Amino acid sequence: MQTELSKELGVEHAIFGFTPFPAVAAAISRAGGFGVLGAVRYTAPADLERDLDWIEANVDGRPYGLDVVMPAKKVEGVSEADVEAMIPEGHRQYVKDTLAKYGVPELAEGDAAGWRITGWMEQVARGQLDVAFGYPIKLLANALGSPPADVVARAHARGVLVAALAGSARHARKHAEAGIDIVVAQGYEAGGHTGEIASMVLTPEVVDAVDPLPVLAAGGIGSGQQVAAALSLGAQGVWLGSVWLTVTEADMHSPAVTRKLLAAGSGDTVRSRALTGKPARQLRTEWTDAWDDPDGPGTLPMPLQGLLVADAVSRIQKYEVEPLLGTPVGQIVGRMNSERAVQEVFDDLTRGFERAVDRINRIAGREEQA
């Protein structure tokens, strides 16, 4: 599964794996793919430095990258406290009432919330980059589109390729104009923030829109046959995220979440603004239903919603309140039926890819070469 892009980056398989778990990122790279560590949860530079140290020591010299959440436009003089002050009291009360309805305990005194959507703030993301550029990362990806021009220039000066996610051909063209090196065409099926166009339609549209820039296909991909389909549509690789949530190397901190993922079907996700204020595909739960209830106050725009529900999500996760417990995940969750090691996932992907290529060769009347 090699392409021009995978050869340029020095990886065996054109499989790019996004994950919030350092152990998974390292395992993906060791298996011959390209591990990408999600940085949004790292609000303290020292924590990111610790985990990049660990990856560097456990990646066996293989290449890896970092994914940040950084707005293209800078907002001056706005702190997290300023943003929190914009949250209406009625929304705060709705959170309290919903948690009380399900008997969610308070956090213990001195037990800080472990989940904050603050990585979107420019000063946080720039702090992450200050750390990351001290390591031999080969790729910087941005989940909010093109990063600021000075960040692109800073990455290029260090020989780091820059990737940006796009949910439409229009967005992809803007990325190309901004000097981005790789466009990730993220289809509707994907977990987390995603647009409204399905991967089968989006991938060739983006490929045509940004040619000759390389494109990675993302969204609903979790088998070797789908990898072959993505490459046949013109992509130079695939960007996988959800499939790594149930690997044995993942540190989910919640057996209940893992059980729910393994039991879920492809129809058990929903695009909801409940988590961050932007449409993000996640497990459908009674928490997402509460925010979609027409009798409720409705969600707030990003980043207000993320800050509003941060403590609540921490409490739900800490006490594993199953009716409310969820996680971002794509529609591929229907294929995630067992816990496997990263290498086992790669073995399955490569076998499926070979079967798909053999099938197409037979259809095309070409005999498999000995």
Side-chain angles (χ1 to χ4, degrees):
M1 290 188 284
Q2 280 201 330
T3 64
E4 290 181 14
L5 179 61
S6 66
K7 291 176 182 177
E8 179 182 355
L9 288 167
V11 296
E12 183 180 356
H13 304 300
I15 296 174
F16 294 72
F18 164 81
T19 174
F21 307 118
V24 177
I28 290 169
S29 290
R30 289 198 307 271
F34 191 99
V36 182
L37 178 66
V40 71
R41 66 190 179 94
Y42 292 99
T43 57
D47 292 340
L48 179 59
E49 185 174 0
R50 176 202 64 217
D51 284 353
L52 288 176
D53 280 340
W54 189 92
I55 289 176
E56 187 65 22
N58 289 274
V59 82
D60 293 349
R62 304 292 183 91
Y64 61 94
L66 191 76
D67 178 278
V68 297
V69 179
M70 193 173 196
K73 296 181 179 178
K74 189 171 184 177
V75 179
E76 299 281 1
V78 179
S79 68
E80 183 178 339
D82 294 332
V83 177
E84 291 239 31
M86 302 176 190
I87 298 174
E89 185 55 39
H91 282 73
R92 296 186 188 278
Q93 188 61 49
Y94 187 70
V95 170
K96 292 177 183 177
D97 292 345
T98 303
L99 295 178
K101 176 181 176 181
Y102 290 91
V104 182
E106 296 277 358
L107 292 174
E109 187 175 351
D111 192 359
W115 187 93
R116 303 288 291 176
I117 294 293
T118 54
W120 63 270
M121 298 183 74
E122 177 151 355
Q123 63 267 33
V124 175
R126 285 187 179 274
Q128 294 165 350
L129 294 179
D130 289 340
V131 171
F133 285 140
Y135 292 81
I137 63 170
K138 299 297 183 184
L139 176 71
L140 173 66
N142 190 39
L144 284 183
S146 304
D150 69 295
V151 171
V152 176
R154 188 178 175 191
H156 286 167
R158 288 164 173 76
V160 177
L161 297 181
V162 180
L165 276 64
S168 70
R170 178 174 61 86
H171 291 154
R173 280 189 288 268
K174 288 185 176 180
H175 296 340
E177 292 166 0
I180 298 303
D181 304 293
I182 302 167
V183 176
V184 181
Q186 187 183 39
Y188 171 86
E189 308 95 326
H193 295 126
T194 185
E196 299 181 353
I197 304 174
S199 299
M200 183 65 73
V201 174
L202 179 66
T203 301
E205 284 188 353
V206 172
V207 168
D208 290 344
V210 302
D211 184 58
L213 287 184
V215 172
L216 300 177
I221 300 173
S223 71
Q225 292 90 330
Q226 290 170 306
V227 176
L231 299 189
S232 72
L233 292 173
Q236 286 205 31
V238 293
W239 178 273
L240 308 184
S242 296
V243 294
W244 315 114
L245 291 175
T246 53
V247 295
T248 54
E249 294 91 341
D251 187 11
M252 287 296 291
H253 297 296
S254 173
V257 169
T258 300
R259 286 197 303 271
K260 293 184 80 168
L261 287 169
L262 295 175
S266 57
D268 292 329
T269 68
V270 63
R271 280 173 80 241
S272 171
R273 298 177 184 268
L275 191 62
T276 68
K278 282 193 173 187
R281 186 171 296 284
Q282 55 202 279
L283 283 178
R284 182 175 180 176
T285 66
E286 293 184 35
W287 178 256
T288 61
D289 287 349
W291 286 103
D292 290 335
D293 188 338
D295 293 331
T299 56
L300 296 169
M302 189 179 191
L304 299 181
Q305 182 71 16
L307 292 172
L308 168 67
V309 304
D311 288 355
V313 171
S314 289
R315 290 165 59 186
I316 292 167
Q317 291 176 344
K318 178 179 176 63
Y319 298 109
E320 295 198 314
V321 184
E322 293 211 27
L324 304 178
L325 190 62
T327 185
V329 69
Q331 291 179 329
I332 197 64
V333 70
R335 292 181 63 97
M336 295 157 51
N337 301 317
S338 63
E339 293 185 75
R340 299 178 293 167
V342 166
Q343 185 62 61
E344 292 180 80
V345 175
F346 266 83
D347 291 343
D348 185 57
L349 290 171
T350 53
R351 285 193 296 265
F353 179 83
E354 290 169 357
R355 288 195 298 270
V357 171
D358 289 346
R359 186 181 304 118
I360 294 301
N361 282 335
R362 289 195 299 272
I363 292 170
R366 292 191 294 269
E367 294 296 328
E368 184 178 355
Q369 297 296 313

